[in-house]
Amino acid sequence: QVCPGLRTPQVPVWLCNLCGRLGVLFGTDNQLLSHWRAERLFHLYFCSGQREQTQTTQLTIDTHSHPWEEDGSKAPGGPGKKRPPLEMAIRTKWAGATVSWSGTDTCF
């Protein structure tokens, strides 16, 4: 029998299969599951368990940013820029969100 805590997690948790690589995407704010205002600016963390990932990747998600207002000379690529699979997975939940990788390599 599955414990109720596993059926209804206290924090948001997603199991990801990104291009054949498994990982866990999670948040530490329990308000993210129950309060829509918490979805404005928040952090998510990604762990792949791969040997090359030495630290948990911290991502900052901003669902109310306006990426089209950014200076185009600072942003690498244009509107057709290819996004990392993890970023695209996040955007299935929060369409149009801006994902900041906090200086982490975007290989996931």
Side-chain angles (χ1 to χ4, degrees):
Q1 186 172 1
V2 177
C3 169
L6 293 176
R7 285 182 281 171
T8 309
Q10 298 298 311
V11 294
V13 176
W14 295 273
L15 299 176
C16 303
N17 183 354
L18 305 167
C19 302
R21 298 175 76 180
L22 298 175
V24 177
L25 180 67
F26 63 96
T28 57
D29 184 5
N30 61 357
Q31 292 292 313
L32 196 54
L33 292 173
S34 60
H35 201 274
W36 63 270
R37 290 184 189 203
E39 291 188 355
R40 201 255 179 243
L41 183 66
F42 56 95
H43 297 288
L44 292 178
Y45 304 89
F46 183 73
C47 248
S48 69
Q50 299 291 322
R51 194 173 318 172
E52 58 270 8
Q53 185 182 13
T54 58
Q55 293 182 348
T56 301
T57 302
Q58 179 182 347
L59 306 168
T60 302
I61 314 300
D62 187 351
T63 60
H64 288 82
S65 66
H66 302 289
W68 57 85
E69 294 175 355
E70 293 176 0
D71 183 7
S73 62
K74 292 180 183 176
K81 178 186 172 189
K82 188 174 178 177
R83 303 286 180 184
L86 181 58
E87 193 169 320
M88 296 307 293
I90 291 168
R91 288 186 175 159
T92 62
K93 171 74 173 148
W94 295 282
T98 300
V99 179
S100 171
W101 288 79
S102 306
T104 306
D105 184 20
T106 60
C107 63
F108 307 108

